[in-house]
């Protein structure tokens, strides 16, 4: 049996292609770059688990004039105090609006849930939000676990105080 040199080259090229394709497809769950606010959250002991860019819902557009939305899922690097395996977790949203007033209105109504949204959003998630704005961008923190509510609230205020031109909008 005679082996053709072009067959060997083809085999090596195929192996190299498969190897390079397999290596490049192993992406991190973090697909979006963090803004300075997200980077500040990382400096406070949290890391991103996942990130996505999403279109605002029809309700968010109609109610708040939201134009874009990015979502990051964060988890603490260290377990909560006096625990071995409870790690604070929360979602962090960067929401862009048409104007500063629209962002301010969003935060003033931060606990308002999309009436067409998922049941858990309407039932309890919307009540576990906090945030601040800079210009026409609202930064919203939301946890799904009551045990982490105080930590998320504290972190939001800390990050707001470290962010130039941040405004915490009171919902009271």
């Amino acid at each position: 049996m005679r082996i053709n040199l072009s067959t060997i080259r083809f085999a090596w090229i195929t192996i190299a292609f498969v190897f390079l394709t397999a290596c490049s497809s192993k992406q991190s769950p973090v697909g979006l770059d963090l803004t300075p606010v997200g980077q500040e959250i990382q400096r406070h002991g949290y890391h991103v688990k996942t990130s996505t860019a999403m279109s605002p819902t029809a309700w968010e557009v109609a109610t708040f004039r939201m134009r874009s939305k990015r979502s990051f899922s964060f988890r603490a690097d260290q377990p909560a105090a006096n625990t071995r395996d409870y790690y604070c977790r929360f979602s962090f949203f960067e929401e862009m609006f048409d104007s500063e007033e629209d962002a301010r209105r969003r935060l003033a109504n931060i606990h308002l849930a999309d009436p067409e949204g998922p049941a858990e959003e309407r039932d309890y998630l919307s009540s576990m939000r906090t945030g601040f704005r800079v210009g026409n961008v609202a930064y919203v923190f939301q946890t799904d676990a009551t045990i982490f509510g105080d930590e998320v609230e504290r972190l939001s205020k800390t990050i707001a105080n470290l962010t130039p031109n941040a405004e915490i909008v009171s919902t009271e």
Side-chain angles (χ1 to χ4, degrees):
M1 176 168 124
R2 229 172 102 196
I3 299 177
N4 186 334
L5 187 56
S6 63
T7 304
I8 293 173
R9 275 191 218 141
F10 177 77
W12 278 112
I13 290 171
T14 303
I15 290 169
F17 176 77
V18 168
F19 177 76
L20 289 174
T21 303
C23 290
S24 66
S25 68
K26 297 204 184 273
Q27 294 181 351
S28 134
V30 181
L32 301 176
D33 291 334
L34 287 171
T35 60
V37 173
Q39 293 169 6
E40 190 62 42
I41 293 170
Q42 281 188 316
R43 283 191 283 279
H44 280 80
Y46 295 87
H47 62 276
V48 177
K49 299 290 285 179
T50 61
S51 66
T52 56
M54 57 186 63
S55 296
T57 66
W59 179 82
E60 290 170 325
V61 172
T63 306
F64 301 115
R65 295 178 9 148
M66 187 184 296
R67 294 297 162 232
S68 65
K69 187 174 187 177
R70 295 170 13 123
S71 172
F72 299 87
S73 172
F74 277 93
R75 180 176 181 252
D77 295 333
Q78 300 296 318
N82 301 320
T83 72
R84 291 191 343 217
D85 58 359
Y86 286 164
Y87 292 82
C88 181
R89 66 180 185 276
F90 60 93
S91 296
F92 173 68
F93 303 96
E94 295 177 343
E95 302 172 345
M96 176 102 36
F97 298 87
D98 281 346
S99 69
E100 288 183 19
E101 188 53 41
D102 293 329
R104 190 176 284 119
R105 185 173 48 255
R106 163 65 168 124
L107 288 173
N109 294 285
I110 199 164
H111 301 298
L112 189 60
D114 183 341
E116 300 297 318
E120 62 271 6
E121 164 91 7
R122 293 187 315 269
D123 293 343
Y124 69 95
L125 286 180
S126 62
S127 68
M128 294 193 284
R129 288 188 195 133
T130 188
F132 61 94
R133 73 160 194 88
V134 177
N136 66 329
V137 179
Y139 297 99
V140 178
F141 295 72
Q142 174 181 295
T143 186
D144 63 353
T146 310
I147 190 172
F148 303 132
D150 290 342
E151 174 63 16
V152 171
E153 178 81 24
R154 184 200 61 74
L155 178 65
S156 173
K157 287 180 180 174
T158 299
I159 300 299
N161 288 329
L162 293 170
T163 303
N165 303 313
E167 177 186 9
I168 299 173
V169 179
S170 174
T171 58
E172 299 167 4

